[in-house]
Amino acid sequence: MVRSYMRHGPTQAFGIVNSPTANSAYDGRLAYVAGWEDVLVWDVKRGEMISMWHSPSHTSPVSFLTPSPSTSSSSSSTSDTPQTFAVSYQDGSIRLWSFNPSTPEVEASEIVTFNGHKKSISYMTWDNSGSRLASGGAEGEIVLWDVIGEIGLFKLKSHRGQITGLRFIPHPNPSKRSHPGFLVSTSKDTYLKLWDLETQHCVQTIVVGRGEVTSLEIKEYDDDTSSALEDGEGEERIRGRWVIVTGSGDGESKVWTVEKEALDSGLKEGEDGQLPTLIKPLCTLPLPTSSHAITQINFHETLPLLFLQTNDKTMITLRIRSEEEVNAKRARRKKRDKEKSKKKGKQDEEEEEVNDVPSGEVKWEERITSWCVVRANAKIKSFAIARDQVDSAKGGVQLLLALANNSIESYTIPSPSSTSKKSSKLPDGSTPEPTKTHVVELPGHRNDIRSISISSDDQIIASCSNGTLKIWNSRTTQCIRTIECGYSICSTFLPGDRHLVIGTKSGELLLFDIASSTLLESYKAHSGSVFGIDVRPDGRGLVSGSEDKDVKFWDFELKEKGEGEKVVDRLGRETVYKTKQLALVHVRTLKMTDDILCCKYSPDGRFLAVSLLDSTVKIFFSDTLKFFLSLYGHKLPVLSLDISQDSKLIITCSADKNIKIWGLDFGDCHRSLFAHDDSIMQVSFERGQGQERISHYFWSVGKDGLLKYWDGDKFELIQKLEGHHGEIWALATSHNGQFVVTGSHDKSIRIWEKTDEPLFLEEEREREIEQLYDSNILDNLNKDDQEGGEGGEVEGVTKQTSETLMSGEKIIEALEIADNDREATRQWEEEKEKAKIEIPRPSRNPELIAAGDLDPDEYVLKVIQKVPTANMEDALLVLPFRYVISLLGYLDEWALKGQQTVLISRILFFLMRTHSNQIISNKIMRTPLLTLRNHLRESLDTQRNVMGYNLAALKFLRSSWEQERTAGLYESEGMDEEAVRKRIEEGRGKRKRVVV
């Protein structure tokens, strides 16, 4: 009989405030940060997580997130319209999420998934309209996505390093609205590139410097005059420019400029035959000398502020002065120089007036001045500016910092509007200082989680790290208590679950009262780090092992605390009531020959197992401490061990990546298992309640980030669980055997629950082999595509995934079913015509009947409509050519019926472009293609007429609404019709400018 097990599955990870893998976004109230594979939304003021965006069965960490400009520009925290966020992951996928901040109880919905990058995505940006998205990957490729059409437009391949910055530049000439604009990109290959999206080619490449280019930002500056002025010949001249700021890995920041007029003229040869230089160097920002890389640069949308983040604990804020301020500063400087000259008696012969403004062009480096510096408690991973959220009460800019120690902070930076225009100081003469407003750090640890313990009723989880002890509710995963402690390495609940003992790196045993969150007593137990603690099976004491080579035994006692409280009764008699509290009393010590790494009692209380640094495990009788067995065989030290509930088996794990299963009666090694690809940190038997639930199943965790479930009797791997993104240090199994808890270097705590789904080993191994086979197929397909696209600067966006392969197989299956049904119908009609008698119709395919007894063409259309738009082209690549011919026939039928014209056109153009050589060489295809062309043209004409009619109706309704609204608005002012029209035209022609 085949033995079955119960499958374990992950639940929601907790203990994460933010992960250092991605950037952040902020709207003044809500912070959007990465929580490894999820996106977490925090209410910064209340310190509560209000939403988590999780994609099922997706474990790749988030690498970048950015909100759409159409929603981020508005007051997003109070708007009722959902926001669109683009979230990229390290597996090269992009997911668009829709989230409404006004209703956080409604979960965010996943709109579409894009796949086009071979490696992790490092940067993304939206265009001004929010209809296009540009993404850059670690392989140096840039992909442009059509968000509305849900397809990849094209891929730009020119960079040779990770993309670190992307920005869209719209075409400066309003008459060329059809032009898709330009794109500026930076990479770690030290290059800054300008791309023309119409020709899809790089028009200029600049070597920024010797170091890697790590950040990019662009700001548009218009002249004070109108943007389009007529020169002497009556032609329009476009005024203004874009300012580009780049940051390098050596701490240098450079400023570049792109003139709108030069960008509009394009690459036209001059009189000397040379092509013009579109991007020109402007200056180098005067920053404090630092070797830290500038990882992020951002302009404030409305205020003249520039924010630069370095790869350490500081963030620099610069203020951009106007030309009037620079000229005023020049005048003051000239005045001071003249006053100094007068004192020295070296006055010039021709004395100029002091108030004269010095002439000369104002350089950009003169306009930059230091504003303030934000110093955080830990390394800053990213920052985000609250867009259009200026605190009028404090007169500041809201800023969010995502730190590397699993916390986020918000600051208020004084705005330049609250200061004097003549100085970069506040009105009282002090230097602007940022104010820390909120901190979100309690829901997680600042350092690695080194130990986890579970209470006897499985209701409370205790996690320990360097400096903090946190108590969690296992059902709600909410943090109940946060207690300061030392560098804890091991921990355990005491009987009754009211107290917790922690062993620290400094050799202390800390006794905590959980209810009052207080440290009852600190015992200097050892002279070295305490690596192991275990409670005696009778519940009357515990044992501790340390690197000082001592095993110490402690008893639990209730000791009186203080002098007590005196109470006088009615007769005048005094009674002293003294409170008692739990205490540890050292009773005896066992000296060992080497450092002790772990110690464990057997559940029956007979033995004590101690692992030493010499890679052996010594077993002693617990009552007499007489030596019983020595287990040797590991090549590296044994880091953890555990004994089964029936006290028959002992398992040991080592840094040599092996797990050994021993018999506790004779000390014989039953089996040695190569378990993990790195050091195994901890093992634990699965516990159960009752004699019938005692099993030899056990768990193991290692530095490879995997949790594995084993059968100790059959020596087989039951299940391998992935989810952590770092080394797993801690492991704890529940007392009822229903879940297991792990803690990792990624500062997350995860609960893995036992489900009701049965697991069979053969099926599990087959599933793993299929996954490996599919991944190899996908790697080969994507590798072939990549090799086929070498040598070109532009190529199509294709990437085969398991979803596209499944979609392609579904289309093939639908075509086979439809073709077989048609062939059976045709043969039946021929036989009926030949026999000239009634012949029963053959039975149809069950799939067609289950779908609603559809016709073959309707069934194929239904299957294709279920394929996601983003996966359509990749799914069609899987089709062999004979199925392509069959699909073209169904396209003709759909076009004749006028069904799904847009979908038909897209599929047809892609198939013609992909299989053009085979179609051209096949003369038989000419007639059906001509028929398809005629039918599709008729369908497109019908669609065009319908759209034109609808657009005309919408324009009419809009003009009627505008006339009624504006006429009613200006009627109260006593204006005539001509004045009203003039005011409307003036309002349409106005442009918003940022005056700096």
Side-chain angles (χ1 to χ4, degrees):
M1 182 176 178
V2 179
R3 187 172 186 177
S4 64
Y5 304 88
M6 304 308 294
R7 185 181 300 275
H8 288 73
T11 61
Q12 173 182 327
F14 60 97
I16 309 171
V17 178
N18 74 297
S19 59
T21 58
N23 64 321
S24 56
Y26 189 44
D27 63 11
R29 182 177 70 92
L30 301 181
Y32 304 86
V33 297
W36 295 111
E37 68 269 19
D38 305 323
V39 176
L40 309 180
V41 183
W42 293 93
D43 189 323
V44 179
K45 295 182 180 179
R46 295 188 300 172
E48 297 178 359
M49 184 175 66
I50 63 174
S51 180
M52 172 185 285
W53 307 348
H54 177 73
S55 184
S57 69
H58 190 263
T59 59
S60 181
V62 176
S63 60
F64 201 87
L65 61 92
T66 175
S68 173
S70 59
T71 54
S72 62
S73 59
S74 61
S75 182
S76 57
S77 60
T78 59
S79 176
D80 292 335
T81 58
Q83 299 184 52
T84 301
F85 284 80
V87 182
S88 64
Y89 300 85
Q90 290 186 5
D91 61 355
S93 64
I94 300 174
R95 284 171 169 80
L96 299 185
W97 295 85
S98 178
F99 176 71
N100 194 343
S102 60
T103 57
E105 64 276 1
V106 180
E107 294 184 0
S109 59
E110 186 177 340
I111 303 174
V112 66
T113 301
F114 295 131
N115 281 287
H117 289 273
K118 306 297 187 299
K119 296 182 180 179
S120 173
I121 298 174
S122 56
Y123 202 90
M124 291 190 301
T125 185
W126 296 85
D127 66 350
N128 293 334
S129 62
S131 60
R132 290 180 301 168
L133 180 69
S135 60
E139 74 278 7
E141 297 178 351
I142 303 171
V143 179
L144 258 71
W145 306 92
D146 184 356
V147 177
I148 299 175
E150 298 182 357
I151 59 173
L153 297 176
F154 50 85
K155 183 183 296 184
L156 304 175
K157 301 173 61 177
S158 181
H159 284 289
R160 294 296 179 266
Q162 176 180 323
I163 304 298
T164 56
L166 291 170
R167 281 293 186 273
F168 281 98
I169 294 181
H171 199 282
N173 195 338
S175 62
K176 299 181 180 179
R177 295 181 179 177
S178 60
H179 194 285
F182 302 87
L183 183 70
V184 179
S185 64
T186 56
S187 171
K188 286 189 175 182
D189 59 4
T190 71
Y191 291 148
L192 168 68
K193 290 180 178 290
L194 177 64
W195 304 83
D196 188 341
L197 299 181
E198 186 176 40
T199 61
Q200 301 176 8
H201 284 84
C202 178
V203 295
Q204 187 175 354
T205 301
I206 296 175
V207 180
V208 177
R210 295 183 178 180
E212 299 177 344
V213 186
T214 54
S215 54
L216 169 71
E217 178 64 327
I218 293 180
K219 183 76 169 181
E220 180 182 2
Y221 289 97
D222 288 337
D223 293 341
D224 294 337
T225 57
S226 62
S227 61
L229 298 177
E230 293 186 357
D231 59 9
E233 300 178 358
E235 297 180 357
E236 288 188 351
R237 296 184 57 194
I238 298 177
R239 304 280 184 172
R241 60 181 175 176
W242 281 279
V243 174
I244 303 174
V245 183
T246 59
S248 300
D250 54 6
E252 186 180 38
S253 181
K254 294 184 178 181
V255 184
W256 315 77
T257 180
V258 182
E259 298 294 336
K260 291 185 177 180
E261 185 177 359
L263 201 61
D264 181 47
S265 301
L267 294 178
K268 296 181 181 179
E269 294 185 358
E271 297 178 356
D272 55 354
Q274 298 293 329
L275 294 176
T277 302
L278 301 178
I279 300 179
K280 299 178 181 179
L282 204 58
C283 68
T284 300
L285 289 181
L287 299 177
T289 56
S290 174
S291 59
H292 295 284
I294 300 175
T295 55
Q296 187 177 350
I297 301 176
N298 280 110
F299 280 103
H300 195 277
E301 287 189 348
T302 56
L303 298 177
L305 293 177
L306 177 62
F307 301 87
L308 296 95
Q309 172 203 330
T310 57
N311 196 16
D312 59 356
K313 299 181 180 181
T314 61
M315 195 195 69
I316 304 171
T317 305
L318 304 178
R319 187 171 70 90
I320 306 172
R321 295 181 290 197
S322 62
E323 295 185 3
E324 292 79 5
E325 289 185 67
V326 176
N327 290 331
K329 184 178 180 181
R330 288 180 177 179
R332 291 194 301 270
R333 185 179 300 169
K334 186 174 182 181
K335 181 179 178 180
R336 289 195 300 268
D337 293 342
K338 285 192 174 184
E339 290 177 354
K340 291 179 181 179
S341 300
K342 287 180 181 180
K343 292 179 180 180
K344 294 179 180 180
K346 298 179 180 180
Q347 189 172 1
D348 296 337
E349 295 180 358
E350 297 181 359
E351 188 173 314
E352 299 178 359
E353 294 185 6
V354 175
N355 295 329
D356 287 345
V357 178
S359 60
E361 182 183 358
V362 176
K363 298 181 180 180
W364 238 80
E365 53 264 32
E366 295 180 300
R367 301 180 63 180
I368 299 297
T369 181
S370 178
W371 182 242
C372 65
V373 177
V374 180
R375 294 177 175 86
N377 296 328
K379 182 181 292 186
I380 302 173
K381 300 304 294 185
S382 68
F383 72 90
I385 307 169
R387 302 298 184 183
D388 294 340
Q389 296 284 333
V390 179
D391 193 345
S392 58
K394 299 181 181 180
V397 178
Q398 301 298 319
L399 189 71
L400 179 80
L401 299 184
L403 307 182
N405 65 346
N406 196 30
S407 66
I408 55 178
E409 298 177 349
S410 66
Y411 288 82
T412 299
I413 295 179
S415 61
S417 59
S418 62
T419 62
S420 173
K421 293 183 179 180
K422 297 183 180 180
S423 174
S424 62
K425 298 181 179 181
L426 297 173
D428 57 359
S430 61
T431 304
E433 287 292 335
T435 304
K436 183 187 293 187
T437 54
H438 302 92
V439 178
V440 180
E441 61 178 5
L442 289 180
H445 285 277
R446 307 281 75 76
N447 298 286
D448 296 5
I449 299 171
R450 298 304 301 266
S451 176
I452 286 182
S453 301
I454 304 177
S455 61
S456 59
D457 57 359
D458 297 329
Q459 299 295 320
I460 297 176
I461 299 173
S463 61
C464 306
S465 67
N466 181 10
T468 55
L469 160 67
K470 289 185 178 291
I471 308 298
W472 310 82
N473 187 321
S474 62
R475 292 184 178 179
T476 63
T477 65
Q478 297 296 318
C479 184
I480 305 173
R481 300 280 191 275
T482 299
I483 310 172
E484 294 184 359
C485 66
Y487 195 135
S488 59
I489 299 178
C490 53
S491 63
T492 182
F493 277 94
L494 299 188
D497 298 330
R498 296 182 179 181
H499 300 85
L500 188 76
V501 174
I502 291 178
T504 66
K505 191 175 182 179
S506 59
E508 297 178 339
L509 289 179
L510 306 180
L511 178 61
F512 289 95
D513 184 278
I514 298 176
S516 60
S517 302
T518 56
L519 174 64
L520 298 181
E521 194 67 40
S522 176
Y523 302 92
K524 184 60 179 176
H526 298 271
S527 59
S529 301
V530 180
F531 285 124
I533 297 177
D534 191 35
V535 178
R536 211 160 61 206
D538 58 5
R540 297 177 179 272
L542 60 83
V543 61
S544 63
S546 169
E547 67 176 351
D548 62 359
K549 306 177 183 179
D550 287 345
V551 179
K552 292 190 176 182
F553 298 85
W554 308 79
D555 283 346
F556 301 147
E557 288 188 5
L558 291 176
K559 291 188 176 182
E560 296 180 351
K561 180 182 179 182
E563 298 179 356
E565 182 181 358
K566 294 182 180 180
V567 178
V568 181
D569 58 9
R570 295 179 180 179
L571 301 178
R573 292 174 299 184
E574 293 184 356
T575 305
V576 179
Y577 292 95
K578 295 185 178 181
T579 59
K580 294 184 178 181
Q581 71 177 23
L582 185 67
L584 302 180
V585 178
H586 178 227
V587 291
R588 55 180 175 173
T589 302
L590 175 63
K591 297 285 186 179
M592 303 300 295
T593 59
D594 215 328
D595 297 1
I596 299 167
L597 301 182
C598 184
C599 52
K600 191 78 174 179
Y601 277 108
S602 62
D604 58 5
R606 290 186 61 201
F607 303 108
L608 173 67
V610 179
S611 67
L612 304 178
L613 192 63
D614 60 2
S615 307
T616 63
V617 176
K618 308 293 185 183
I619 300 177
F620 301 88
F621 289 100
S622 59
D623 51 357
T624 61
L625 298 184
K626 186 177 180 181
F627 178 76
F628 175 57
L629 289 173
S630 178
L631 309 179
Y632 56 90
H634 284 287
K635 298 179 180 179
L636 292 175
V638 176
L639 302 180
S640 177
L641 60 89
D642 196 14
I643 302 175
S644 62
Q645 283 185 282
D646 55 6
S647 301
K648 293 182 178 179
L649 292 182
I650 178 173
I651 52 174
T652 58
C653 67
S654 169
D656 60 8
K657 311 173 188 178
N658 289 313
I659 293 177
K660 292 185 182 295
I661 305 174
W662 315 77
L664 197 56
D665 46 2
F666 299 107
D668 55 326
C669 181
H670 292 180
R671 185 65 64 91
S672 180
L673 304 172
F674 183 80
H676 290 262
D677 295 332
D678 209 332
S679 299
I680 305 173
M681 302 309 300
Q682 199 165 348
V683 290
S684 178
F685 273 103
E686 184 181 65
R687 304 180 186 179
Q689 296 177 351
Q691 186 67 27
E692 68 279 359
R693 299 192 60 184
I694 295 178
S695 66
H696 290 165
Y697 305 153
F698 64 91
W699 297 87
S700 66
V701 294
K703 285 188 176 181
D704 55 0
L706 297 178
L707 169 68
K708 294 188 177 183
Y709 189 32
W710 303 85
D711 188 338
D713 293 327
K714 292 189 173 182
F715 317 117
E716 290 181 325
L717 173 65
I718 302 174
Q719 192 177 1
K720 180 174 64 175
L721 298 170
E722 300 177 356
H724 280 290
H725 304 281
E727 301 93 339
I728 302 179
W729 297 106
L731 168 69
T733 55
S734 63
H735 292 77
N736 59 7
Q738 294 301 311
F739 64 90
V740 60
V741 186
T742 55
S744 171
H745 168 72
D746 60 13
K747 304 177 183 63
S748 69
I749 304 173
R750 297 176 186 263
I751 298 178
W752 314 80
E753 288 185 344
K754 182 179 292 186
T755 63
D756 296 333
E757 180 183 358
L759 183 149
F760 298 94
L761 294 182
E762 293 183 359
E763 294 181 358
E764 190 72 9
R765 298 293 88 81
E766 289 178 0
R767 187 178 63 86
E768 293 178 359
I769 293 174
E770 288 178 358
Q771 290 179 352
L772 182 61
Y773 179 72
D774 292 341
S775 63
N776 292 334
I777 291 178
L778 295 175
D779 292 340
N780 293 330
L781 289 174
N782 295 326
K783 185 178 180 181
D784 294 340
D785 294 341
Q786 190 174 7
E787 292 176 354
E790 286 185 357
E793 196 176 52
V794 183
E795 68 175 22
V797 183
T798 59
K799 181 184 178 182
Q800 295 293 340
T801 62
S802 57
E803 290 81 8
T804 59
L805 290 178
M806 292 177 61
S807 300
E809 292 175 356
K810 289 180 180 178
I811 296 175
I812 293 175
E813 183 181 358
L815 291 173
E816 288 181 348
I817 293 174
D819 291 343
N820 293 335
D821 185 79
R822 285 196 165 181
E823 181 64 23
T825 304
R826 187 187 62 81
Q827 292 180 0
W828 170 69
E829 291 177 350
E830 290 180 355
E831 293 176 358
K832 185 175 67 171
E833 186 176 354
K834 290 180 181 179
K836 296 182 180 181
I837 59 174
E838 191 66 26
I839 299 177
R841 186 187 181 106
S843 60
R844 304 191 67 191
N845 191 289
E847 292 287 341
L848 296 175
I849 299 175
D853 201 10
L854 299 176
D855 291 337
D857 61 323
E858 295 177 351
Y859 176 72
V860 176
L861 179 59
K862 184 178 180 180
V863 171
I864 289 182
Q865 284 179 329
K866 291 182 180 180
V867 178
T869 308
N871 298 339
M872 180 63 72
E873 294 184 355
D874 292 328
L876 294 175
L877 283 175
V878 184
L879 302 183
F881 185 66
R882 62 189 182 92
Y883 292 103
V884 172
I885 297 176
S886 176
L887 182 58
L888 288 175
Y890 290 106
L891 292 179
D892 188 15
E893 296 183 24
W894 302 335
L896 181 61
K897 296 179 181 179
Q899 297 177 331
Q900 298 293 332
T901 306
V902 178
L903 179 62
I904 294 172
S905 303
R906 182 182 172 190
I907 294 176
L908 177 61
F909 295 154
F910 179 77
L911 293 178
M912 295 293 291
R913 187 171 61 248
T914 305
H915 304 279
S916 59
N917 295 331
Q918 294 92 326
I919 294 175
I920 292 173
S921 61
N922 193 345
K923 297 181 180 181
I924 305 176
M925 293 295 299
R926 176 177 176 81
T927 302
L929 286 178
L930 290 175
T931 307
L932 175 58
R933 182 186 66 177
N934 296 332
H935 292 163
L936 185 58
R937 282 182 176 177
E938 295 175 0
S939 180
L940 289 173
D941 288 339
T942 305
Q943 292 288 334
R944 183 180 60 183
N945 294 334
V946 172
M947 293 178 64
Y949 181 83
N950 292 336
L951 287 175
L954 290 174
K955 289 180 181 178
F956 174 76
L957 292 175
R958 179 182 178 183
S959 61
S960 301
W961 177 77
E962 286 184 352
Q963 289 178 4
E964 293 177 0
R965 180 173 178 271
T966 53
L969 182 63
Y970 295 124
E971 185 178 357
S972 58
E973 301 179 8
M975 302 174 64
D976 56 1
E977 185 177 355
E978 184 178 354
V980 170
R981 290 181 178 177
K982 186 177 180 181
R983 179 72 65 86
I984 293 174
E985 295 297 330
E986 290 178 355
R988 289 177 178 175
K990 287 184 179 179
R991 295 183 59 191
K992 294 182 180 180
R993 294 186 181 86
V994 178
V995 180
V996 178

